[in-house]
Amino acid sequence: MRRLGSKGTKAAMLAGTLALGGCINVNAPTEPIVIELNINIRQEVIYRLAEDAGNTIEENADIF
């Protein structure tokens, strides 16, 4: 029965690691990375307008 981590297993893992050492290449992209964000800000804008309108009505109650 073989143990996990025996000398043969460690040697095979080391050999595999060394064999792959020259195969990995990391290059920067030639074109810029584009991130598209679809954000709904409508609710916040309506809330701010409603708050501003409420303040205007309170300040000028005699007009309305």
Side-chain angles (χ1 to χ4, degrees), residues 1-56:
M1 187 167 153
R2 293 180 77 181
R3 294 185 339 215
L4 267 172
S6 66
K7 290 182 182 179
T9 305
K10 290 180 183 177
M13 289 174 51
L14 180 62
T17 303
L18 292 175
L20 292 175
C23 297
I24 299 172
N25 292 326
V26 179
N27 296 326
T30 57
E31 297 180 10
I33 298 172
V34 177
I35 301 173
E36 294 184 21
L37 298 175
N38 295 322
I39 300 173
N40 185 358
I41 60 168
R42 184 170 182 254
Q43 183 177 3
E44 182 180 349
V45 171
I46 290 174
Y47 176 76
R48 286 185 183 176
L49 288 175
E51 183 181 5
D52 187 43
N55 291 339
T56 302

